[in-house]
Amino acid sequence: MEKTIKQLSPATIETFSSQLRGKIVMASDASYDLERKVYNAMIDKHPGMIVKCVDVADVIASVNFGRENSLLVAVRGGGHNGGGLGLCDDGLVIDLSGLKFVRVDVANKTVRVGGGNVWGEVDHATHPFGLAVPAGIISTTGVGGLTLGGGGGHLSRKYGLTIDNLLEADMVLADGTFVTVNAKQNTDLFWAIRGGGGNFGIVTSFKFQAHDVKTVFGGPTLWPIEKTEEIMEWYHDFLKNSADDLNGFIATLIIPGAPFPEHLHNKQFCAIIWCYTGDMDKAEEAFKPILAKDPLFQMVGEMPYPSIQTLFDGLLPPGMQWYWRADFFNELGPEIREQHLNFGSKIPTPLSQMHLYPISGAASRVGKEETPWAYRDAKYAGVIVGVDPEPANADKITTWCKNYWEALHPYSSGGAYSNFMMDEGQERVQASYKHNYDRLARIKKQYDPDNLFKVNQNIKPAN
Ligand SMILES: Cc1cc2nc3c(=O)[nH]c(=O)nc-3n(C[C@H](O)[C@H](O)[C@H](O)COP(=O)(O)OP(=O)(O)OC[C@H]3O[C@@H](n4cnc5c(N)ncnc54)[C@H](O)[C@@H]3O)c2cc1C
């Protein structure tokens, strides 16, 4: 059984504090309420202590302090996790937000990133060199959590998931040792962290392969929600027959307001958000069949890569209520399309939405056992999010999200992308890692036998 911070003596805390360059935030501090906030305002956890690490030595000291004092330990990267897995109640939060740096090796097209960076900082550093690392679609998401869970976004079809571009990581393990993991060194850990989440240690720096992406051609196309079934059927076939250069995720959503024209506001749509990374001279040609589907509205064009990466940041600032549900899907058959029309027509608040991210192209050409990310043969990673700024609407968005998910789940592939799940219990975690779960559990037993790192989509140490 874990101890709480309150059970520790002032002298124990004083000694720990003297080992740090970063600062400790306690419940009595004025900044406590600010520091314990995460992106999802539905999460209201009260840690006993937050350690704002500024270097690897702080991380090592914090891991040792947590383990030696039998504390519940949470690790916070960008703080975006839907289930609030960067926080815990009463225990120790190891906050990596001060562990930031981005170094671009232009000659080798690689990027070294701190364990606490967010993706917008990476895009900002790589863009002047015409380089990009495949990541998610919102720039404020943490590099740590997104990468360790997998990482899907606009470049997935062209260059694979974020983990497919991870070359190396530096880690602090549960016993406080510091290791470097890559394809030659600590290969079991290198395998495990490419999808297995924060279960195996704290990553203090990541090294990624970057790619030549300077400008992209993309943006949203919208059709009235009544056309959902027709557009989904067309989209599935169209993408299957398209080059990896073209990525597009399909959504049911409401247009909440500006920058979209007023006649679209507060109406439901079936939307596809495109990103083309091929030859810009051929972009208009590539979009001809899309525009031939006669979208009610389209805003596609050429833009710098960081622009598509920040396109939705303004709509989705931190501090709103978020309820998440997810599943993988192998197809978009008639029963599935019917449910998307049904629930897409009943979206309860302007920011609630459903996305289906394609797992095709380069992301699907990685073997099912090459990384823990088991669903390489699924066609879509689906996610439904109930979102609203108003806490009074929490029940409304939760109910819609759960009902939508329950209607679709029988047609799903079984598990979900771990980064799109909330705290949904052990069975769901196992279903999401499928055939790779047992190997993950064996590695967990070797490197974290007492499950120090358990505030995550937890892999229990093997018996
Ligand atoms: C608005 C929004 C958009 C999103 N879009 C995408 C998307 O396009 N593609 C996608 O793949 N995902 C997306 N996600 C999901 C995202 O990948 C997860 O929420 C992820 O957990 C966020 O990571 P974080 O570091 O910000 O979160 P945190 O809450 O800080 O951490 C999440 C988990 O990761 C662990 N962790 C974080 N950093 C480290 C580290 N350095 N070492 C060890 N463990 C660590 C934490 O302990 C925790 O268990 C999105 C999320 C949001 C809220």
Side-chain angles (χ1 to χ4, degrees):
M1 190 62 201
E2 283 112 8
K3 278 193 207 150
T4 66
I5 294 284
K6 281 192 189 137
Q7 290 171 290
L8 303 184
S9 71
T12 305
I13 294 175
E14 184 81 2
T15 308
F16 173 49
S17 175
S18 71
Q19 298 165 3
L20 302 168
R21 274 185 62 228
K23 68 171 185 179
I24 284 176
V25 179
M26 306 287 286
S28 53
D29 289 315
S31 62
Y32 177 75
D33 279 333
L34 195 67
E35 297 290 355
R36 72 182 183 85
K37 275 202 175 105
V38 284
Y39 183 83
N40 182 359
M42 220 182 249
I43 307 296
D44 183 26
K45 293 190 183 168
H46 290 77
M49 178 192 281
I50 301 168
V51 188
K52 308 275 297 176
C53 296
V54 297
D55 60 17
V56 175
D58 281 357
V59 177
I60 293 172
S62 302
V63 167
N64 289 338
F65 177 71
R67 188 190 62 252
E68 285 161 8
N69 291 290
S70 307
L71 299 171
L72 178 61
V73 172
V75 179
R76 179 187 172 137
H80 259 227
N81 187 268
L85 294 174
L87 282 188
C88 62
D89 280 318
D90 303 321
L92 171 70
V93 171
I94 303 178
D95 184 328
L96 306 177
S97 59
L99 212 66
K100 287 190 192 221
F101 55 87
V102 186
R103 282 191 215 106
V104 185
D105 179 341
V106 180
N108 291 306
K109 297 187 183 173
T110 61
V111 189
R112 186 56 88 168
V113 182
N117 278 98
V118 299
W119 281 105
E121 294 156 351
V122 180
D123 292 337
H124 182 264
T126 54
H127 185 64
F129 304 104
L131 296 171
V133 177
I137 62 149
I138 299 276
S139 79
T140 52
T141 309
V143 172
L146 181 134
T147 302
L148 295 170
H154 295 300
L155 303 183
S156 297
R157 276 171 51 82
K158 183 79 173 273
Y159 297 116
L161 303 177
T162 307
I163 45 173
D164 304 332
N165 296 279
L166 181 65
L167 300 174
E168 186 170 283
D170 288 335
M171 295 176 68
V172 177
L173 305 181
D175 65 0
T177 53
F178 178 78
V179 295
T180 296
V181 307
N182 55 37
K184 292 196 177 128
Q185 251 176 298
N186 298 306
T187 50
D188 49 354
L189 280 170
F190 184 55
W191 179 82
I193 64 164
R194 284 178 290 158
N199 274 286
F200 304 93
I202 301 182
V203 175
T204 54
S205 90
F206 296 90
K207 182 181 173 188
F208 295 106
Q209 182 68 60
H211 301 275
D212 296 313
V213 180
K214 179 86 176 170
T215 56
V216 300
F217 193 101
T221 47
L222 305 179
W223 290 268
I225 196 76
E226 294 75 21
K227 287 200 159 190
T228 299
E229 290 166 291
E230 177 197 331
I231 295 301
M232 277 192 172
E233 186 177 16
W234 164 79
Y235 160 83
H236 179 74
D237 289 335
F238 176 67
L239 209 60
K240 198 161 61 183
N241 297 314
S242 295
D244 295 354
D245 288 338
L246 187 67
N247 199 90
F249 71 86
I250 192 160
T252 54
L253 47 69
I254 287 179
I255 292 298
F260 294 92
E262 214 172 317
H263 71 275
L264 303 175
H265 294 184
N266 295 316
K267 295 197 172 83
Q268 286 99 345
F269 294 95
C270 175
I272 305 176
I273 293 74
W274 303 99
C275 179
Y276 168 85
T277 44
D279 186 345
M280 286 302 131
D281 292 341
K282 298 188 178 139
E284 287 189 11
E285 191 62 33
F287 274 74
K288 269 192 186 150
I290 299 169
L291 299 181
K293 287 303 290 178
D294 206 14
L296 183 70
F297 177 79
Q298 60 94 359
M299 206 162 65
V300 292
E302 191 173 340
M303 64 183 100
Y305 177 69
S307 298
I308 200 157
Q309 289 298 93
T310 49
L311 211 57
F312 305 106
D313 284 12
L315 282 178
L316 299 171
M320 294 194 287
Q321 308 283 309
W322 283 70
Y323 193 84
W324 294 66
R325 276 286 179 268
D327 263 324
F328 287 112
F329 294 89
N330 289 338
E331 37 105 22
L332 289 183
E335 299 89 349
I336 295 179
R337 299 198 297 266
E338 191 187 337
Q339 294 305 336
H340 284 299
L341 170 63
N342 181 19
F343 285 92
S345 306
K346 295 188 218 158
I347 299 174
T349 58
L351 294 170
S352 296
Q353 48 204 281
M354 181 288 305
H355 295 180
L356 285 165
Y357 293 90
I359 306 160
S360 47
S364 66
R365 290 194 288 270
V366 176
K368 286 194 283 183
E369 290 166 13
E370 257 181 79
T371 70
W373 218 87
Y375 284 84
R376 298 284 182 167
D377 55 354
K379 290 287 169 281
Y380 303 98
V383 63
I384 306 160
V385 284
V387 186
D388 198 64
E390 188 47 62
N393 286 335
D395 281 349
K396 190 155 96 173
I397 59 176
T398 302
T399 304
W400 170 80
C401 185
K402 280 186 179 165
N403 290 344
Y404 200 157
W405 180 83
E406 270 162 22
L408 283 170
H409 184 64
Y411 307 106
S412 76
S413 331
Y417 170 33
S418 64
N419 271 347
F420 287 164
M421 294 191 332
M422 293 186 91
D423 189 356
E424 296 171 31
Q426 201 56 29
E427 251 177 53
R428 286 287 282 164
V429 178
Q430 292 202 18
S432 297
Y433 290 111
K434 259 197 327 193
H435 52 272
N436 288 324
Y437 187 86
D438 290 347
R439 183 173 172 195
L440 286 166
R442 286 195 299 276
I443 299 173
K444 177 79 173 174
K445 186 181 181 190
Q446 188 177 347
Y447 293 99
D448 186 13
D450 297 324
N451 208 1
L452 182 71
F453 301 116
K454 67 166 66 137
V455 184
N456 42 42
Q457 298 299 348
N458 195 228
I459 291 152
K460 306 261 182 264
N463 291 322

